[in-house]
Amino acid sequence: MPLLKLDAVQLQFGTHTILDHVDLTITRGEKLGLLGRNGMGKTTLLKLLAGEMAPDAGERWLRPGVKLARLEQTLPDADNASVYDVVAGGLPEAGELLKAYHHLSLQGGDVDMNELARVQQQLETADGWNLQQRVETTLSQLQLPADTPMRELSGGWRRRVALARALVCEPDILLLDEPTNHLDIPAIEWLEGQLQQYRGALILITHDRRFLQNVVNSIAELDRGHLSVWRGDYRGFLEHREAELAAEERANALFDKKLAQEEVWIRQGIKARRTRNEGRVRALKAMREERSQRRARVGKASFALEDAAGSGKIVAELQDVSKAFGDKAILRNFSTIIQRGDRVGIVGANGAGKSTLVKLLLGEIAPDSGTVKLGSKLEIAYSDQLRGALDPEKNLIDNVCGGQEFIDIKGKRKHAISYLGDFLFTPDRVRTPVKALSGGEQNRAVLAQLFSKPANLLVLDEPTNDLDIETLELLEEILLDFDGTVILVSHDRDFMDRVVTGLLVVEGNGVVSEHAGGYSDWESRGGRLLEAPQEKQAAPAQKPATPAQATPAKARQKLSYKDQRELDALPATIEKLEQRQAALESEMASSGFYEQAREQVDATLKELTEVQADLEAAFERWAELDG
């Protein structure tokens, strides 16, 4: 059943065509990933779908009664508003009343009874008590602390609050713009689980390829104003797109060959003074017009990293290093050696100390105890996730090239506009102030600045934020070809798998462990990131770890024979339930799931609910017996 449709929609900003006769139909249960290069108009399309802007031509149709919510790319303000107030604001019909009632109820004996009675009466008229229950249920499901001010929450928890605000109205269609930004890996995995169970229609923009693969069941690509839809997962879409692009190139080559032949014919006809076929002339004019209307594909970035002279064999050596800020331990007696040519990934929850570890490795801060030795002949290129090296008031040429018209790259002089063109900046953008650039453009500017200087040690802190997938893949190739040493902090699991050869896992409470291979290799050996302790204090306790990963209690009362047998059997029971849950979620994620008979769909959804309840009960029983 269609919930939302676009019919022949057109949208243009100046001379730039965003949408050219775009058609799109969204049905219940569809989970659509929206892809496209930076600047193609993905966020604009999302706003148009949300009804926040109107097309120049064409029609947007929303089924009557269908609720729609959008999660914006930017985070909610870190202000004094409480979590409850922000979430209740997602109910426009009664949100202000609910906020007023919530604050009045917190005043206890000092409450103005007349005001309380007035608010209660208005809530009854607006069906407010059911809506209040919905707010409290949403807060509970997302494990959010209702009365905590937003300013006390990290970026990851503010992202959860924004999601709760979008979900509280129980939307039939949920629009998400880069939902994994500001989230660490544990929070991304949590969000994957939430969206896999979401029963409405979902449209999301993301550069996280594993997240995309795990959540969506169809892909839409916005390319040069046209929108093409693929029913299936992300990996299947990649194969389909390669075939489509190859077919397009072949068709264009044949067309151009025929056009060239017709151009030769018309010139020869004039020379030979033959009567020209007027129909053929008209056909040639039509071909010329068609060729002039063809949109060229946006080229791929073609930047490369200039290698400096080789460093010493030892790049950095940490011996029994400890570091703390107040009562919070970042490292405790940590030792490691990073050698020339290593590609080391650093992962951990937000707040665990990843950036502090990088600064210790670079010698920017001193340890409380232990020694940090840096190798010889180091040429360091460092990019932080806040893009602090860019002056927002200056333009690209001033930021990247120091205001010079020419720049030395690999011993050769290159024009600044040509160099920035390698990073997909058009000549009209190179003199644009950085503050006016999109997030993806700013990140490309950071890379342009970083790669303009020779380096043998490359340190990147969250380099994948806002990059489109094609530029992300090119960055992977460059890092793999780089002869120097790479230290990489990232929450992009696929990116880590493709680039790094070893991991430093910042586990929190001063513990850092070393592991060979990429993120998936570590996961396959039972590795799992937990949320940072300070973030657990901001929200109710999470579900206990699985038995295979749990730490045995130091002291425990002796169990009866029956209870001990039950405890011994629980890990196998939990594993079986988790496998069934994964199978059911995979079945629901398939493109044809909601096309089945209604009875079959309802039976599957009911079984999933029962399995989840059994799994939760098994976890609680295991925690009770093991504790």
Side-chain angles (χ1 to χ4, degrees):
M1 179 180 68
L3 302 178
L4 175 64
K5 292 178 68 175
L6 298 182
D7 184 17
V9 164
Q10 299 180 62
L11 185 65
Q12 192 165 330
F13 293 155
T15 59
H16 181 39
T17 299
I18 304 295
L19 303 173
D20 186 0
H21 293 86
V22 163
D23 297 321
L24 181 64
T25 301
I26 302 299
T27 58
R28 188 174 301 278
E30 183 162 13
K31 296 179 180 178
L32 180 74
L34 181 57
L35 305 185
R37 299 293 295 271
N38 290 335
M40 283 293 177
K42 301 187 297 295
T43 297
T44 300
L45 176 56
L46 221 58
K47 291 179 179 178
L48 193 147
L49 288 168
E52 297 172 13
M53 60 188 305
D56 296 332
E59 182 182 357
R60 169 190 177 269
W61 175 84
L62 182 68
R63 179 175 290 278
V66 166
K67 295 180 181 179
L68 187 148
R70 183 168 79 91
L71 175 71
E72 298 184 21
Q73 190 171 346
T74 55
L75 287 174
D77 293 334
D79 53 21
N80 290 323
S82 71
V83 170
Y84 188 96
D85 286 353
V86 175
V87 174
L91 293 169
E93 64 273 21
E96 293 301 320
L97 289 174
L98 289 173
K99 287 189 277 185
Y101 179 78
H102 184 72
H103 288 292
L104 287 169
S105 65
L106 293 177
Q107 294 176 11
D110 298 328
V111 66
D112 183 338
M113 298 304 296
N114 291 330
E115 177 66 11
L116 182 62
R118 183 186 69 82
V119 172
Q120 286 177 329
Q121 183 178 7
Q122 291 182 333
L123 281 172
E124 288 175 0
T125 303
D127 193 29
W129 303 121
N130 287 332
L131 295 176
Q132 180 193 36
Q133 182 63 39
R134 190 186 300 174
V135 172
E136 293 174 353
T137 300
T138 303
L139 290 170
S140 175
Q141 287 175 339
L142 273 68
Q143 301 174 329
L144 292 170
D147 299 314
T148 300
M150 293 291 288
R151 57 181 166 77
E152 295 183 10
L153 299 181
S154 69
W157 281 96
R158 281 157 58 206
R159 174 65 69 185
R160 285 197 187 196
V161 174
L163 182 62
R165 180 186 174 93
L167 290 174
V168 73
C169 68
E170 296 183 349
D172 302 287
I173 304 174
L174 182 61
L175 309 175
L176 304 178
D177 195 348
E178 294 289 1
T180 63
N181 278 1
H182 307 286
L183 296 184
D184 54 18
I185 291 176
I188 290 172
E189 293 173 341
W190 165 85
L191 181 58
E192 282 179 0
Q194 295 288 319
L195 296 181
Q196 286 167 353
Q197 297 176 36
Y198 179 65
R199 297 179 184 178
L202 171 69
I203 305 173
L204 70 89
I205 300 170
T206 183
H207 65 269
D208 189 320
R209 291 160 294 184
R210 187 185 292 196
F211 185 82
L212 200 62
Q213 175 67 24
N214 290 345
V215 171
V216 307
N217 55 28
S218 57
I219 299 286
E221 184 178 33
L222 185 60
D223 181 23
R224 296 163 284 170
H226 298 290
L227 190 72
S228 57
V229 179
W230 161 261
R231 304 297 177 185
D233 62 11
Y234 175 64
R235 294 194 183 101
F237 163 76
L238 292 178
E239 298 175 1
H240 166 74
R241 184 176 61 174
E242 284 299 315
E244 286 285 305
L245 292 177
E248 180 183 348
E249 290 177 3
R250 288 194 300 269
N252 287 341
L254 289 172
F255 181 92
D256 292 344
K257 182 179 179 180
K258 183 177 180 182
L259 176 60
Q261 290 171 345
E262 292 299 294
E263 295 285 3
V264 170
W265 168 81
I266 198 168
R267 291 185 179 89
Q268 288 176 341
I270 293 172
K271 290 179 181 179
R273 298 179 182 177
R274 291 193 299 265
T275 302
R276 289 170 290 166
N277 184 317
E278 292 302 324
R280 195 168 178 181
V281 172
R282 288 193 295 271
L284 174 59
K285 289 181 179 179
M287 290 179 69
R288 286 172 175 170
E289 178 65 20
E290 183 179 345
R291 179 62 182 85
S292 69
Q293 294 297 320
R294 184 193 301 169
R295 293 193 183 92
R297 290 184 61 206
V298 178
K300 290 187 177 182
S302 58
F303 49 87
L305 185 60
E306 182 175 356
D307 296 340
S311 65
K313 183 177 180 181
I314 302 298
V315 173
E317 182 176 0
L318 278 65
Q319 185 67 39
D320 294 326
V321 167
S322 295
K323 183 68 181 178
F325 294 106
D327 296 332
K328 181 182 178 182
I330 304 298
L331 296 175
R332 285 199 183 103
N333 300 318
F334 176 62
S335 300
T336 190
I337 296 175
I338 297 178
Q339 302 186 59
R340 182 178 62 237
D342 285 350
R343 294 196 298 274
V344 180
I346 300 177
V347 297
N350 287 340
K354 302 187 294 295
S355 296
T356 300
L357 176 55
V358 168
K359 292 176 180 178
L360 283 167
L361 288 168
L362 295 177
E364 291 189 2
I365 59 176
D368 296 335
S369 61
T371 59
V372 178
K373 295 180 181 178
L374 296 180
S376 59
K377 303 178 182 178
L378 289 179
E379 295 284 344
I380 301 173
Y382 174 44
S383 168
D384 67 8
Q385 61 176 309
L386 300 178
R387 305 174 182 132
L390 298 177
D391 185 336
E393 300 300 327
K394 293 182 178 180
N395 62 32
L396 281 173
I397 287 184
D398 290 338
N399 266 292
V400 176
C401 307
Q404 302 297 314
E405 290 296 320
F406 289 88
I407 185 171
D408 290 328
I409 300 295
K410 295 190 174 182
K412 297 180 180 179
R413 282 170 60 80
K414 191 168 186 176
H415 199 280
I417 292 179
S418 175
Y419 177 67
L420 290 168
D422 292 340
F423 293 81
L424 299 181
F425 290 110
T426 56
D428 61 309
R429 299 292 282 172
V430 300
R431 301 193 186 278
T432 302
V434 164
K435 64 182 180 183
L437 301 177
S438 68
E441 288 175 318
Q442 288 185 22
N443 214 1
R444 292 206 308 271
V446 169
L447 295 177
Q449 185 184 63
L450 192 70
F451 293 173
S452 66
K453 301 176 179 64
N456 52 34
L457 173 58
L458 188 60
V459 183
L460 302 176
D461 195 346
E462 299 290 3
T464 66
N465 282 349
D466 301 314
L467 287 183
D468 58 62
I469 291 176
E470 289 180 327
T471 307
L472 190 61
E473 290 171 348
L474 180 61
L475 179 59
E476 290 171 355
E477 295 175 11
I478 291 168
L479 295 180
L480 291 173
D481 291 339
F482 180 49
D483 291 332
T485 306
V486 177
I487 298 175
L488 173 68
V489 180
S490 180
H491 65 260
D492 190 318
R493 296 157 291 177
D494 271 17
F495 187 74
M496 298 288 260
D497 279 344
R498 289 171 167 83
V499 172
V500 307
T501 56
L503 287 182
L504 294 178
V505 181
V506 185
E507 301 179 15
N509 296 320
V511 178
V512 178
S513 56
E514 289 188 82
H515 304 272
Y519 187 83
S520 292
D521 297 320
W522 174 65
E523 267 189 322
S524 67
R525 295 191 291 267
R528 181 191 177 200
L529 285 176
L530 301 177
E531 303 216 16
Q534 70 270 25
E535 300 225 307
K536 285 188 176 179
Q537 293 169 6
Q542 306 287 314
K543 181 175 68 175
T546 56
Q549 298 161 343
T551 303
K554 292 182 179 178
R556 181 169 63 201
Q557 289 184 344
K558 185 175 179 62
L559 297 173
S560 67
Y561 175 74
K562 179 181 178 182
D563 287 345
Q564 185 62 52
R565 288 199 62 181
E566 184 182 359
L567 176 61
D568 293 341
L570 275 171
T573 302
I574 289 174
E575 182 179 3
K576 184 177 179 181
L577 288 169
E578 287 179 331
Q579 289 173 350
R580 183 56 185 160
Q581 181 186 32
L584 290 169
E585 289 173 348
S586 176
E587 181 182 345
M588 290 174 59
S590 64
S591 58
F593 175 74
Y594 286 94
E595 297 175 2
Q596 301 178 94
R598 185 66 193 175
E599 295 76 12
Q600 181 63 35
V601 172
D602 289 344
T604 304
L605 295 176
K606 180 181 178 182
E607 183 181 359
L608 178 60
T609 301
E610 293 172 350
V611 168
Q612 289 171 337
D614 291 344
L615 185 59
E616 191 67 32
F619 270 118
E620 291 176 358
R621 181 57 175 162
W622 169 80
E624 178 185 349
L625 293 174
D626 192 57

